[in-house]
Amino acid sequence: MTKVIAITGKGGTGKTAVAALMIRYLSKKGKFLLAVDADADTNLPETLGCENVKTVGDAKESLQVEIKKPRPDNPDMNKESILKSKVYEIIEEMPGYDLLVMGRPEGTGCYCYVNNLLRGIMDKLIVNYDIVVIDAEAGLEHFSRKILRDIDDLIVVTDASRRGFQTAERIRELVSELDSNVGRIHVIANKVTDANRQEIVKLAGDLKLNLIGVIPLDPKIEEMDIKGIPLFEIPDDSVAAVEIEKIVQKLGL
Amino acid sequence: MADFPFEISPMFEGERVRKEGMFVELGGPKSLGLELVRAADMDAIVDDQVTIVGPDLKDMEEGKTYPWAMIFNIGGELVEADLESVVERRVHDFINYCQGIMHLNQRYDVWMRVSKDTAGKMDSFEPFGRAVMMLFKTELPFIEKMQVTFYTEQAEVEKQMTEAKEIFKARDARTKDLHDEDVDVFYGCTLCQSFAPTNVCVVSPDRVSLCGAINWFDGRAAAKVDPEGPQFEIAKGELLDAVTGEYTGVNDIAKKLSAGEFDKIKLHSFFDSPHTSCGCFEVVGFYIPEVDGIGWVNREYQGMSPNGIGFSTMAGQTGGGKQIVGFLGIGVNYFYSPKFIQADGGWNRVVWLPSILKEKIDETIPADIKDKIATENDATDIASLKAFLEAKNHPVVATWVAAEEEEEEEEEEEEVAVAASPMMMPAAGFQMPAMPMMSGGSGGGIKLTFKNAKITIDKMIISQKKEKK
């Protein structure tokens, strides 16, 4: 069975970095892995060292244009097969894992039909992999639209701020309203220093949030960020990479 | 099941053969890929025969991409040329049932991959060809005999491609010519019922879905694969009226899907029992009583219509899966239907279109009416629209003259009309166009539905119109 891990959180907490590190570790472990960027505002592909990728949004749009032609060239075309082909074509085949970028939001008009096709395609695609890691925006839109359905582990990344934890609480509420099944919800505290570590652990406890990992502020990440080096190339012994390894083990992946 | 070197199951349908696990790639973005199904005489087919022209699997180099064409011939008592496309749509499914073989796209864009695992179990495409034909004959029993030829040589694939493109062209011309009267079933779609619970979307060869995304062929394909899914068959039943497009089968499904809200839907009618409007429609039509004509506004047009309302307001009023007399949601493609609102005058009733829409559908507007239809550049309110139509002598102008002649004789009825008009105002705000005026006194009449209405009337006079001399 495919395990689906979604990583979300407030902007700026470093959730994309966490997702990238997790993808890096899992792909090195030899798992059959699909990475999904489901947040149009972030840059998972660049963080992984992959540029100019095409998106599912583009694929959807080009199908939408084709089927909305007043006089289609071939009224009998198999739209499901065409959309599936487009999605399979844009999957970026990286060493050790595949990458799929959901991309831009929808334009005007009705996407019911195209989304319905996409649901079926995503269901079939996902079973190809041992693990799917999704970098999701905090509103979880792709889940509320059921383009992506069930999540085994939802991980909310927060920084050391109270607002980060509040977002975590809100996401927990949001999840209860989703039609999707969500197995477990965890919290990772990121960019933690020795000065605020204790307080964070206490805050998580007060809010009854399941704190699965505490990632220290890693100077290596900041350094790579400034130099524009993809996080994928972080050394194994950097503090963040070590902590991610522990988290993955706790998740039983 | 006969013995094949690989497993066969619908379970493998979405299987992705990754670059790292791939033995060879056939067709696809970097090469040529073709598939074609052709009906042939029974005598011309050697059943189960697989012919390979060009290098076979064992002669291929790992990691390489090869051009690819596959031509299937089918025969059987019931096999005819019209079935070729139905059979061809299934090529994608059946090839994907084969473990370790990925098939994408269709026609002249085919893209396949064979996994290392599966390539390791066979030296030739021969068992693969036999497996696919076995699936076809099992699932589509009208196919009695079948043979296939695989081409893997550039020149040969190119040649097949050129010929196939001509065949596709001829086939498309035929499908474009398919009409309501040529088929026995229409298709329904319930995708929009999630937000418009009484919406009944009926898709026929001459009527695309309101969202524009589903045509009759899509309905047919989806209903065949998953009859319990959101798209399903509607048996046409008996034809009640060819002009309005009324069928017993459609009326039955209208009753059922709307939970009794409507008992009739006439496919090509604007006023009487029109198609319901979901909310997804690409274009909304609106009756303009002052000129007895119909205007249309599309989602992309941001301005106002001559009646002072824009698309979004009209969409709000029209949507929700109701039959709203005076408004009608449609897909853009419906303008191309030869039966376009033919119950109510068709193109001769169209008086206004936004210029972007008029341009987009230019080729389908009959030449004799094109210049008589106003856009926002010609008319922005009722007065200027009236003047424009009069100056161009639009066909609706003739009905005005007839109506004026009647006016005098109708004077005594006016009292009733005035007293009744407040009841026709919907509670939700703007003025709804009045019911169509029946010019000439004939015609089908109107139906008024009141819900939760409280009506107090002191006096009501209903009188028959006097016959004109």
Side-chain angles (χ1 to χ4, degrees), chain A residues 68 70 75 79 85 88 98 128, chain B residues 14 16 18 105 211 213 218 333:
Chain A
K68 297 275 168 129
K79 293 169 187 172
S85 306
Y88 275 54
D98 283 354
N128 280 288
Chain B
R16 178 173 174 87
R18 297 194 69 230
N105 262 319
C211 60
D218 301 315
N333 193 282

Side-chain angles (χ1 to χ4, degrees), chain B residues 81-276:
Chain B
D82 277 346
L83 280 172
E84 288 173 357
S85 68
V86 177
V87 174
E88 207 172 273
R89 273 199 184 220
R90 306 304 300 277
V91 171
H92 172 72
D93 300 337
F94 297 151
I95 291 187
N96 277 320
Y97 287 5
C98 302
Q99 186 184 22
I101 307 212
M102 179 176 91
H103 174 284
L104 295 169
N105 262 319
Q106 58 170 3
R107 285 193 168 182
Y108 30 74
D109 293 318
V110 168
W111 177 20
M112 288 173 53
R113 277 178 178 181
V114 181
S115 76
K116 283 180 193 162
D117 269 1
T118 295
K121 291 175 194 157
M122 56 188 194
D123 331 314
S124 169
F125 289 113
E126 201 264 346
F128 160 68
R130 274 195 297 112
V132 174
M133 291 193 285
M134 181 276 293
L135 286 165
F136 267 112
K137 285 192 283 183
T138 315
E139 301 251 339
L140 307 173
F142 61 81
I143 302 173
E144 293 169 44
K145 282 173 99 178
M146 192 163 187
Q147 67 181 21
V148 66
T149 309
F150 298 131
Y151 299 89
T152 60
E153 221 165 50
Q154 183 73 19
E156 218 21 77
V157 172
E158 276 172 23
K159 189 176 141 228
Q160 295 298 329
M161 189 69 98
T162 313
E163 283 171 26
K165 282 190 172 164
E166 286 307 310
I167 294 164
F168 290 133
K169 217 190 223 168
R171 196 193 280 169
D172 289 346
R174 273 207 313 276
T175 46
K176 278 182 187 167
D177 260 353
L178 193 75
H179 299 293
D180 290 0
E181 54 273 21
D182 303 329
V183 301
D184 297 323
V185 290
F186 296 154
Y187 295 94
C189 176
T190 52
L191 274 178
C192 288
Q193 286 211 339
S194 57
F195 61 88
T198 58
N199 192 54
V200 185
C201 206
V202 182
V203 180
S204 78
D206 285 320
R207 198 178 205 291
V208 74
S209 67
L210 275 58
C211 60
I214 305 171
N215 65 29
W216 185 85
F217 299 97
D218 301 315
R220 180 175 68 173
K224 248 195 195 100
V225 174
D226 180 12
E228 308 290 311
Q231 287 95 32
F232 52 88
E233 266 190 18
I234 300 174
K236 254 165 58 169
E238 199 185 318
L239 174 67
L240 297 176
D241 188 333
V243 176
T244 60
E246 187 180 7
Y247 297 86
T248 54
V250 174
N251 286 345
D252 290 344
I253 208 84
K255 246 175 272 176
K256 195 175 141 210
L257 286 187
S258 72
E261 182 102 11
F262 321 112
D263 54 10
K264 271 183 198 164
I265 284 184
K266 301 181 179 177
L267 295 182
H268 305 296
S269 163
F270 189 91
F271 295 116
D272 182 28
S273 309
H275 194 286
T276 55

Side-chain angles (χ1 to χ4, degrees), chain B residues 7 56 65 78 124 127 162 249 286 299 334 410 449 463:
Chain B
E7 274 191 72
D56 201 348
T65 302
L78 299 171
S124 169
T162 313
F286 52 99
R299 199 174 280 277
Y334 186 53
E410 279 179 19
T449 310
S463 66

Side-chain angles (χ1 to χ4, degrees), chain B residues 324-344:
Chain B
I324 311 270
V325 177
F327 289 108
L328 181 68
I330 62 164
V332 173
N333 193 282
Y334 186 53
F335 285 117
Y336 291 77
S337 168
K339 298 185 175 59
F340 169 65
I341 57 163
Q342 65 178 12
D344 296 294

Side-chain angles (χ1 to χ4, degrees), chain A residues 75-190:
Chain A
D76 195 11
M77 68 178 178
N78 186 342
K79 293 169 187 172
E80 197 212 354
S81 146
I82 287 174
L83 182 63
K84 181 173 152 195
S85 306
K86 284 184 196 294
V87 170
Y88 275 54
E89 256 168 70
I90 60 171
I91 289 177
E92 202 69 37
E93 300 188 304
M94 305 294 287
Y97 68 98
D98 283 354
L99 172 67
L100 182 66
V101 181
M102 301 305 287
R104 61 167 151 171
E106 292 166 0
T108 59
C110 173
Y111 284 73
C112 295
Y113 179 71
V114 172
N115 280 340
N116 191 50
L117 296 182
L118 187 58
R119 261 168 228 136
I121 293 165
M122 291 304 293
D123 285 351
K124 283 178 198 154
L125 176 66
I126 279 172
V127 296
N128 280 288
Y129 300 90
D130 299 324
I131 300 175
V132 179
V133 177
I134 304 165
D135 182 359
E137 40 89 47
L140 299 177
E141 192 192 333
H142 291 98
F143 297 94
S144 63
R145 282 185 192 278
K146 289 205 248 173
I147 302 297
L148 302 164
R149 298 196 206 222
D150 298 342
I151 306 172
D152 293 292
D153 292 285
L154 177 67
I155 297 172
V156 185
V157 179
T158 172
D159 53 15
S161 70
R162 183 163 281 275
R163 280 182 47 219
F165 276 91
Q166 280 165 348
T167 305
E169 261 196 301
R170 249 202 321 278
I171 288 170
R172 186 166 60 183
E173 280 161 28
L174 182 65
V175 163
S176 63
E177 290 161 19
L178 285 181
D179 279 338
S180 312
N181 291 318
V182 176
R184 297 176 294 179
I185 305 178
H186 318 270
V187 172
I188 293 179
N190 191 25

